[in-house]
Amino acid sequence: MEITSMCGIIGILGEKDVAPLLVEGLKRLEYRGYDSAGIAALTNGSIQRCRAQGKLVNLEDKLAHTPLSGTTGIGHTRWATHGAPTEDNAHPHATDRVAVVHNGIIENYAAIKKELEETQVRFETETDTEVIAHLLTHYLAQGQSPQEAADNTFDRLEGAYSVALIFAGEHDLLIGARQGTPLAIGYGDGEMYLASDSYALAPLTRKITFLEDGDRVIVKRDSAQIYTKDGLVERAIRVTAQSGATTGKGQYRHFMLKEVHEQPAVIGDTLNSFINPATGKISIPQNILEALEKTPRLTMVACGTAFYACMVAKYWFEQIARLPCEIDIASEFRYREAPLPEGGVCLFVSQSGETLDTLEALRFCKSQGQTILSIVNAIESTIERESDLVLHTLAGPEIGVASTKAFTTQVTSLACLALALAAKTGEISAEKEAEMADALRHVPAEAAALLDETEEQIQDIARDIFEAKDMLYMARGPLYPIALEGALKLKEVSYIHAEGYAAGELKHGPIALIDESVPLVIIAPANDPLFEKTASNLQETVSRGAKVLLISDKEGTERLKHFAQWTVTLGDIHPFVSPILYSLPIQLLAYYVAVTKGTDVDQPRNLAKSVTVE
Ligand code: G6P
């Protein structure tokens, strides 16, 4: 059985043929999944579909041979959770009366399916979504209007979903509903749209209404009527700042490489948003600092790469600002009923601002009376809208599924936050504050130099190690999360099994894995206060046959080069900002290993950029 879960949806009531616009929108939604894609349009009033397994380009190829005409249509790009992502299971799902695209999970689909099968309805797919199409058809066949049929259908559905519907013979009608997963209305000039996010609609319009859970909407070319079970509701129309410009790869072969190289600029943009030009000090809105000053403990929650950003920040908040911190991954945190301190602040970090586990963890904390602070990249995302306080990373759209610039801008923002807090609470002297702010200000230039100096060398190392089956990464202190992130990056894009460890933990188990076929990446700058300890750990592994890639500074390389098979040497970097800058070589390593192996770097198998399922 196949459940449709996390996906991108779009609907258009257009003036011209909508197929090309739907495909354009789906391109901007592909970050939500790329297992299959499809569109449906009304051709002379009847529902026609085109669907394809795999990435959007397969759908484009099909449409090039058999174009779909019609000015009313819906589209879908899919990330499957169960079963094979075949063409049959691809959306839109349709009968001759109605077509549906759906994002989410219909939890009671089996009961509805059984009931419909008893009335001789034949199901053609393994999806949960197909019950929506048949239920609607069932109500329409009883003579109900599209809106009545839609309302009766939505009333029956349990689970989290957003949907967009078109109806045969209803040229001027789109119906949408949001219950747990995002849906936005776009207002065009004589055209109207629905989509999972405003980014998908950015080339078409910037006038957007974000629906709330429980909202339903009847869209016509000249209006959108939003209502809930209790009647009509008003939702604000916002003018978004999203740019419609298509984000190309420029001179780069992959988005991931382009985004790695954008880091000096976007870290600079993010930093500049926090630097007071008059004083050179890091400045964070006072209400945020005041909330942090009062909290007995900071709770940080995120998923994936964003969680590693929190892990780095824990070292800073505790060591520099002396603020006790708890961190957890959202999928665990949201269910473990952690007691939270009275008057506490919870901080959520998310690139997309839509990750469901992170959002649900946020809602849990809100229900416990906590103040919600978030650091997000996607402006106007759900996490941002549900937070009390927000900081933005200015990474711009990140297209490569493996996060790079989003991560380093998250780490940069967290560094600014920890530093500003430490300065406000007097935990560090004015002199120390100035020194650390200075270190931050140098990051963009150092990042640019580092990329320039190490890229070719890392490319060569990648050629030596791309056939490895397993790899280990290790480091200490605030660089330990960078070892974890390095292993995650490698796994994601090259499919090589990799694990990150705290260097001191290696001897408690993982050292058993060491042999010459398992390359070991050690991140250890000599100016790290724990350098000597990591150096000993390195020697322990070398004496057991490890082949080591050492990432360090000049002094560290000088000291340890006899033990390492490969070295990557960075400039003299202030230890405070090491986690930001040492992220770059590990990103390049993952990228070049993947390219040498020939994997699909920007859209690795089985992954999606924004995960809106639990
Ligand atoms: C997915 C992505 C990761 C990302 C994680 C959290 O798994 O593939 O790159 O770190 O979600 O996403 P968020 O948008 O909340 O930062």
Side-chain angles (χ1 to χ4, degrees):
M1 145 48 210
E2 178 122 359
I3 288 188
T4 304
S5 52
M6 211 177 72
C7 307
I9 63 179
I10 183 163
I12 301 180
L13 294 175
E15 288 191 313
K16 299 185 294 226
D17 277 345
V18 288
L21 299 182
L22 289 170
V23 170
E24 249 344 276
L26 292 179
K27 275 189 190 154
R28 301 170 74 92
L29 287 169
E30 236 186 340
Y31 72 90
R32 302 179 72 89
Y34 37 75
D35 287 336
S36 66
I39 61 173
L42 292 185
T43 312
N44 302 322
S46 82
I47 291 167
Q48 302 294 324
R49 288 186 290 170
C50 182
R51 300 176 298 160
Q53 183 171 345
K55 294 183 181 160
L56 201 52
V57 16
N58 299 349
L59 179 69
E60 286 185 283
D61 283 352
K62 265 189 143 175
L63 284 166
H65 292 113
T66 41
L68 206 59
S69 66
T71 57
T72 300
I74 51 179
H76 188 269
T77 180
R78 167 151 200 272
W79 188 79
T81 48
H82 298 57
T86 58
E87 181 178 330
D88 276 349
N89 290 330
H91 295 217
H93 292 292
T95 65
D96 57 351
R97 314 244 354 215
V98 62
V100 51
V101 285
H102 161 222
N103 167 28
I105 294 177
I106 307 302
E107 285 167 0
N108 61 336
Y109 85 96
I112 299 174
K113 186 169 176 178
K114 189 156 169 265
E115 186 187 306
L116 289 167
E117 276 172 342
E118 279 162 13
T119 67
Q120 309 307 316
V121 172
R122 256 192 61 241
F123 279 78
E124 288 170 359
T125 77
E126 302 167 286
T127 66
D128 54 338
T129 307
E130 198 183 353
V131 300
I132 304 178
H134 287 302
L135 208 49
L136 281 159
T137 306
H138 168 79
Y139 290 125
L140 290 167
Q142 293 178 353
Q144 296 186 6
S145 69
Q147 182 175 357
E148 284 165 343
D151 284 334
N152 285 323
T153 300
F154 298 148
D155 287 346
R156 294 287 315 276
L157 304 179
E158 288 168 20
Y161 59 84
S162 50
V163 294
L165 311 171
I166 55 170
F167 295 82
E170 297 284 347
H171 168 72
D172 195 21
L173 179 65
L174 261 179
I175 296 184
R178 171 187 170 140
Q179 184 63 59
T181 61
L183 191 65
I185 307 167
Y187 301 80
D189 208 3
E191 297 194 334
M192 291 289 278
Y193 320 101
L194 283 176
S196 296
D197 68 19
S198 58
Y199 179 63
L201 299 179
L204 300 168
T205 182
R206 289 173 52 207
K207 278 169 72 184
I208 300 287
T209 293
F210 295 100
L211 293 182
E212 294 181 12
D213 281 347
D215 285 358
R216 299 169 182 181
V217 61
I218 304 292
V219 185
K220 305 208 163 187
R221 278 180 179 73
D222 63 0
S223 64
Q225 201 172 50
I226 307 169
Y227 61 102
T228 66
K229 286 181 86 170
D230 301 326
L232 288 179
V233 286
E234 289 282 329
R235 304 277 178 241
I237 299 178
R238 300 159 184 242
V239 177
T240 73
Q242 302 272 17
S243 151
T246 45
T247 35
K249 286 184 226 168
Q251 70 200 77
Y252 296 100
R253 190 166 153 200
H254 294 103
F255 280 108
M256 183 178 175
L257 189 62
K258 172 174 175 257
E259 290 161 4
V260 165
H261 280 275
E262 278 170 5
Q263 288 176 111
V266 296
I267 293 171
D269 291 344
T270 304
L271 270 174
N272 283 335
S273 72
F274 296 124
I275 290 176
N276 178 332
T279 61
K281 288 189 176 187
I282 300 295
S283 124
I284 297 283
Q286 278 307 314
N287 53 353
I288 294 182
L289 294 181
E290 280 160 16
L292 289 174
E293 218 175 356
K294 279 191 223 125
T295 185
R297 191 182 79 204
L298 177 64
T299 306
M300 284 189 280
V301 181
C303 294
T305 290
F307 172 70
Y308 293 144
C310 295
M311 230 174 137
V312 173
K314 179 178 165 74
Y315 287 86
W316 290 332
F317 280 118
E318 295 193 338
Q319 284 178 351
I320 303 166
R322 307 305 299 160
L323 174 63
C325 278
E326 156 160 50
I327 54 168
D328 203 353
I329 45 175
S331 57
E332 284 301 310
F333 178 82
R334 62 179 281 206
Y335 294 114
R336 77 177 162 84
E337 296 172 24
L340 298 168
E342 194 152 339
V345 176
C346 298
L347 169 56
F348 299 87
V349 180
S350 175
Q351 187 285 125
S352 63
E354 300 292 347
T355 303
L356 187 71
D357 280 323
T358 310
L359 180 61
E360 290 298 337
L362 179 158
R363 288 174 177 161
F364 168 77
C365 293
K366 214 172 193 179
S367 75
Q368 303 297 301
Q370 302 285 294
T371 298
I372 310 297
L373 167 62
S374 62
I375 296 186
V376 292
N377 192 48
I379 293 169
E380 296 140 4
S381 58
T382 311
I383 289 180
E384 166 166 357
R385 283 183 283 121
E386 296 198 12
S387 297
D388 302 311
L389 303 162
V390 180
L391 291 174
H392 287 122
T393 48
L394 302 183
E398 191 180 61
I399 310 292
V401 165
S403 182
T404 52
K405 60 177 182 167
F407 176 67
T408 47
T409 53
Q410 283 163 353
V411 178
T412 301
S413 305
L414 287 160
C416 291
L417 192 56
L419 177 56
L421 180 65
K424 182 160 175 32
T425 54
E427 290 295 344
I428 52 170
S429 64
E431 203 181 7
K432 191 78 190 158
E433 179 193 354
E435 177 197 316
M436 292 167 93
D438 194 52
L440 277 167
R441 272 196 306 273
H442 282 98
V443 169
E446 280 168 341
L450 184 165
L451 290 170
D452 211 34
E453 285 158 18
T454 62
E455 186 163 3
E456 263 179 47
Q457 192 192 356
I458 292 174
Q459 212 168 342
D460 290 343
I461 298 171
R463 279 190 210 107
D464 286 351
I465 61 176
F466 80 100
E467 284 174 319
K469 295 272 178 292
D470 305 278
M471 272 178 68
L472 294 173
Y473 287 68
M474 69 175 198
R476 279 176 187 262
L479 288 169
Y480 160 42
I482 306 305
L484 296 172
E485 171 63 5
L488 177 65
K489 273 313 68 114
L490 190 81
K491 275 185 262 209
E492 284 181 312
V493 297
S494 76
Y495 315 145
I496 293 175
H497 169 244
E499 300 297 337
Y501 283 98
E505 189 66 11
L506 211 69
K507 56 186 164 302
H508 298 297
I511 201 162
L513 299 173
I514 299 255
D515 70 30
E516 58 186 21
S517 70
V518 183
L520 174 62
V521 180
I522 296 184
I523 309 166
N527 63 4
D528 182 317
L530 298 172
F531 173 74
E532 294 303 338
K533 297 194 187 301
T534 314
S536 308
N537 299 138
L538 181 155
Q539 286 163 39
E540 288 154 18
T541 62
V542 171
S543 57
R544 288 162 176 83
K547 280 196 175 160
V548 169
L549 161 54
L550 173 71
I551 307 181
S552 186
D553 48 18
K554 284 196 194 70
E555 193 191 329
T557 301
E558 204 44 52
R559 287 271 311 280
L560 296 174
K561 66 180 178 219
H562 304 299
F563 300 103
Q565 177 98 9
W566 310 275
T567 54
V568 173
T569 307
L570 277 51
D572 226 359
I573 290 166
H574 192 289
F576 176 45
V577 297
S578 287
I580 308 173
L581 289 161
Y582 277 80
S583 297
L584 275 47
I586 58 108
Q587 295 168 348
L588 285 174
L589 184 67
Y591 173 77
Y592 280 112
V593 168
V595 167
T596 314
K597 274 191 83 167
T599 54
D600 188 343
V601 176
D602 283 332
Q603 294 187 327
R605 67 185 182 206
N606 308 338
L607 299 180
K609 186 137 194 78
S610 175
V611 180
T612 50
V613 285
E614 44 180 312

